[in-house]
Amino acid sequence: MNIWDFWANKYDKLWVQKYSLRPTRDYITSLFDQEKPLKILDLGCGPGELLAELSRLNPSLDLSGLDSSKAMLDISKKTNKRARHILMDAKDLSQLEGKYHIIISTHSLPYYKNPKKVIKDLSNLLEDDGLIYMGFASETSLYDKIALFFVKFTTGPASYPSDTRFRQMLEGVFRVEELKIIRVKKYMPKIAVYTLKKVKK
């Protein structure tokens, strides 16, 4: 069974909701214009918590959620009836058609086997003047590495990039417009949320 299928019905009750997932969603939603109609892709949308919050914030948004877990998408479909749901592994993003004004990826990048390819594929899905909001727990310090070692017992294999490593993945594809560091509790690893724009060719 897909580990995320296993967690689907329990996802809203996980301890990381309070100190990791919820603060990340709150920051992302704070960045949105409440009036502008935009086409948005939530990559690794899970059970659609962020999609639901964005829909409430701005009903004119054209929302799509993509995830490799059917169980997660089934839950999201019940809450987000207007959103388009795409069952797809991130490694197959090159098959996705269309362009988006904003692409969001929160806490999913560390689980991709080839994150650099995912980043390259995202550049082809983003409008030239579009933005990507990408957030993940970052192994920037020894403490972060220790804390995230224990997180892996819940989520399975993951590779949490440091700031330096992530910026290397972006070279020639995206530039960092803004970086927000979230740490609600001292014992939690840092969450880095990047605002990215395409590098002009």
Side-chain angles (χ1 to χ4, degrees), residues 42-62:
D42 185 5
L43 174 63
C45 67
E49 294 163 320
L50 180 58
L51 290 174
E53 292 181 25
L54 290 173
S55 184
R56 286 192 292 270
L57 182 71
N58 182 352
S60 68
L61 295 174
D62 180 349

Side-chain angles (χ1 to χ4, degrees), residues 15-179:
W15 64 274
V16 292
Q17 286 284 351
K18 185 175 182 180
Y19 300 124
S20 180
L21 305 181
R22 160 58 61 189
T24 306
R25 290 197 301 271
D26 288 345
Y27 174 66
I28 295 291
T29 54
S30 75
L31 301 174
F32 272 80
D33 187 316
Q34 297 188 23
E35 302 290 335
K36 204 168 182 182
L38 299 168
K39 189 174 180 182
I40 296 170
L41 174 67
D42 185 5
L43 174 63
C45 67
E49 294 163 320
L50 180 58
L51 290 174
E53 292 181 25
L54 290 173
S55 184
R56 286 192 292 270
L57 182 71
N58 182 352
S60 68
L61 295 174
D62 180 349
L63 298 169
S64 294
L66 185 150
D67 207 283
S68 63
S69 166
K70 182 179 182 302
M72 288 283 196
L73 290 182
D74 286 345
I75 293 172
S76 182
K77 287 174 183 177
K78 294 175 184 176
T79 309
N80 303 295
K81 299 187 185 299
R82 290 193 309 106
R84 178 189 178 204
H85 290 87
I86 307 162
L87 180 62
M88 180 183 285
D89 193 291
K91 67 180 176 60
D92 299 319
L93 277 175
S94 59
Q95 299 176 20
L96 195 60
E97 297 181 353
K99 296 272 189 179
Y100 297 89
H101 300 109
I102 294 176
I103 298 174
I104 304 167
S105 171
T106 57
H107 299 283
S108 61
L109 184 75
Y111 303 97
Y112 301 145
K113 292 181 178 178
N114 190 345
K116 193 166 184 178
K117 179 182 183 299
V118 170
I119 289 167
K120 174 64 177 173
D121 289 342
L122 289 178
S123 71
N124 295 324
L125 293 170
L126 188 69
E127 295 282 5
D128 288 341
D129 60 348
L131 293 171
I132 288 186
Y133 301 133
M134 186 168 287
F136 49 86
S138 178
E139 282 191 354
T140 303
S141 69
L142 177 61
Y143 178 83
D144 293 331
K145 291 180 180 180
I146 294 169
L148 289 167
F149 172 80
F150 291 100
V151 171
K152 293 175 188 178
F153 286 107
T154 301
T155 61
S159 179
Y160 301 95
S162 65
D163 178 69
T164 300
R165 184 162 157 250
F166 180 65
R167 289 175 187 266
Q168 289 171 346
M169 294 179 191
L170 301 177
E171 286 180 3
V173 184
F174 291 107
R175 69 177 188 272
V176 176
E177 291 286 291
E178 189 173 350
L179 169 59

